[in-house]
Amino acid sequence: MQVFRSIQDEALVRSIAGATRRLVFVAPGVSAAVGKALENRLAQAPGLQIMIVLDAGEETCRLGYCDAPSLETLSRSAAARGIPIRQQPGIRIGLLMADDEILVWTPTPLMFEAPRGSDEPNGLLLTQETLQRLPEALGVDPEHPEADGEIGAEPLHPENVAAVVEAIKAVPPAPFDLSRLSRVFSSKFQFIETVLRGAELTKREMRLDSLIVNSDAPEELQPLLHTTVQPFNTDADKAIEVPVLVNGEQAFNRAGNPLTTPTTQTELRGYWTKLTDRYIINLPGFGKIIRQADKAKFEEGKAAFESVLKAWVQGFQELVKGDHEQRVQRVVTLVEQRMQRASGRQKLTREQIEKLVRKGLDNLRVIEPSVKVVYKNITVESTRDSEFLEVLRKAVYPVFLLGQLGHSR
């Protein structure tokens, strides 16, 4: 019987299902398969002597030692049967006793490693037979000194060591304390970047040939002048009937109907400002961050704002269609007046100017209104920067909490 083996969920589930007298499970946490196997055993064997000891902390789940939903289900099932699940913070070994068979293994943190393969032993099977075979399995049996053990069949050659050392020198790992710190920070915060598209219609710019609008400037200066016209600038105070947002949520009346109100572009932008001020934290010089715990609420608020933004843009586009001709004529008149002071060879007729203005308006690209949000984890490079840590501390962390995270200044 093999002593050293790869102990994965399949072997644990099989041993748990075979226990008839006693079952002891000690580990950082439970996977979905193991949690289900333990739950089934609790239900099927009421007379079974059972003890379950877990770390079951938040960090354990984040590292990939434990599946939180399965832990919750197992906890409820055990409580319903009056079986307490015990807790041992920091435990990182696995032990399963099923009757007289004992499996001892090193659980895999799935955040960093994939499950072990069948030829990658991570544990031992302990029975009376395997305990007697342990010296032989290790290759130190005095009765068979030449026999190969179950593990370590291949020698570690100096050239293999040299290759590892060279690889580490070429690409050094990040300091482990900083990697740990960045992972803890990223479990609490993320960098966030936001972009509003299509929300500034009254500031949209139409480009016209500089020689047309700036024809009254000296010829040697005309190529240096950038020429744009904001055809909707005078419409900035126009209000569009759109749903009302309160604390990032759409408001309804007592009858359950959405509340609406005339809203200007400035007021619309104010909705977004209130939402971002509520959930996003500015770190001067480093960008903006958001608490992981606030992301779901922020995404709900973003979705509500985006629907109002689309309604406002659609309403504004319909509104300005009504005075499109007036807008064209205003721009044409402006250009025509500027052109009166131009030299004769640069002058255009009103019809020619109008044709160019209409073409410019037609070329204004319609931007689909949307809110783009990008989240990024805090990196080791950030945690290596003492200035970043100081700004972060002042913005969100009391001093003692940084100490708890293992950071020493």
Side-chain angles (χ1 to χ4, degrees), residues 6 36 54 83 116 171 229 292 299 374-376 386 396:
S6 175
K36 186 65 176 176
L54 305 172
I83 300 174
R116 302 288 88 187
V171 185
V229 176
Q292 291 276 16
E299 285 291 333
V374 177
Y375 299 102
K376 296 179 182 178
S386 59
V396 294

Side-chain angles (χ1 to χ4, degrees), residues 360-376:
L361 285 171
D362 291 341
N363 287 339
L364 274 181
R365 184 166 58 94
V366 176
I367 299 176
E368 180 67 22
S370 64
V371 182
K372 181 180 180 182
V373 177
V374 177
Y375 299 102
K376 296 179 182 178

